[in-house]
Amino acid sequence: MGLSLEQKQAAVAEVAAQLGEAQAVIVAEYRGLGVGAMTGLRAKARVSGIYLRVLKNTLARRAVAGTRFEKLSEQMSGPLVYGIARDPVAGAKVLADFAKDNERFVIRGGAMANTLMSAKDVKVLATMPSRAELLAKLVGTMQAPIAKLARTLNEIPGKFVRTLAALRDAKEEAAT
């Protein structure tokens, strides 16, 4: 039984709302994939903050119409799952990792703001460090000069204490 007009409109509105907040959309073909595998993929996607949706291509075309992902409609053919991600790298990583483990799950392409990506581009995006990793590196880089300054400032009194200890030891040796 097909969807009613209200259900179709609700699905298009829901996907369009997700697209408004998204940074990337990744499209993959899932033909022949079991329910258990798809359930596992949905769980991984949910943890990573990815909105995963299987939708008829005509409804998906209506959802992307007028958005910055409109060019994606060129890649919409066949049974597709749409991964809509706020973090493009996280979305690409989850779907690319799943594709490595399941040969029936094939990434067809994707889109970032007004840019169409091929399957190869999505795989390259998946190899990039995530936002969290980049922020950690930035904090480490910013923190390094401060830590070096603290070690340098700490070395001055330490050197003074070691000099006094050496003087004390020398006087004790001279006295004995």
Side-chain angles (χ1 to χ4, degrees):
M1 183 171 163
L3 298 173
S4 68
L5 181 61
E6 292 82 24
Q7 291 172 324
K8 290 177 183 178
Q9 289 171 340
V12 169
E14 181 183 348
V15 171
Q18 291 290 329
L19 288 170
E21 300 173 1
Q23 295 294 320
V25 178
I26 299 163
V27 179
E29 190 172 322
Y30 65 96
R31 186 174 292 154
L33 202 60
V35 173
M38 280 299 284
T39 304
L41 174 61
R42 288 180 193 278
K44 289 178 188 174
R46 197 174 307 113
V47 168
S48 297
I50 301 164
Y51 177 78
L52 204 63
R53 182 74 191 249
V54 174
L55 193 64
K56 285 188 171 189
N57 294 328
T58 54
L59 298 178
R61 283 188 193 97
R62 287 185 184 161
V64 298
T67 67
R68 46 195 181 157
F69 303 108
E70 195 166 16
K71 293 181 180 180
L72 189 62
S73 60
E74 300 168 9
Q75 295 180 347
M76 294 180 184
S77 64
L80 300 176
V81 61
Y82 299 90
I84 302 170
R86 290 185 180 163
D87 182 5
V89 175
K93 280 187 182 195
V94 168
L95 295 177
D97 288 344
F98 187 77
K100 285 179 191 173
D101 298 336
N102 299 286
E103 71 256 358
R104 292 186 176 196
F105 188 80
V106 180
I107 295 177
R108 298 270 302 270
M112 288 177 66
N114 298 320
T115 305
L116 197 60
M117 296 186 301
S118 67
K120 188 176 181 181
D121 295 336
V122 173
K123 290 176 183 171
V124 168
L125 185 63
T127 62
M128 294 177 67
S130 69
R131 184 176 190 275
E133 291 172 33
L134 289 174
L135 287 175
K137 286 180 183 180
L138 177 65
V139 168
T141 302
M142 291 172 59
Q143 193 177 22
I146 297 168
K148 188 174 182 180
L149 176 66
R151 283 192 301 272
T152 302
L153 290 176
N154 194 30
E155 185 61 28
I156 294 168
K159 191 174 185 180
F160 179 69
V161 169
R162 286 191 300 274
T163 304
L164 287 177
L167 263 166
R168 183 195 66 210
D169 292 343
K171 284 184 180 183
E172 286 177 0
E173 272 187 38
T176 57

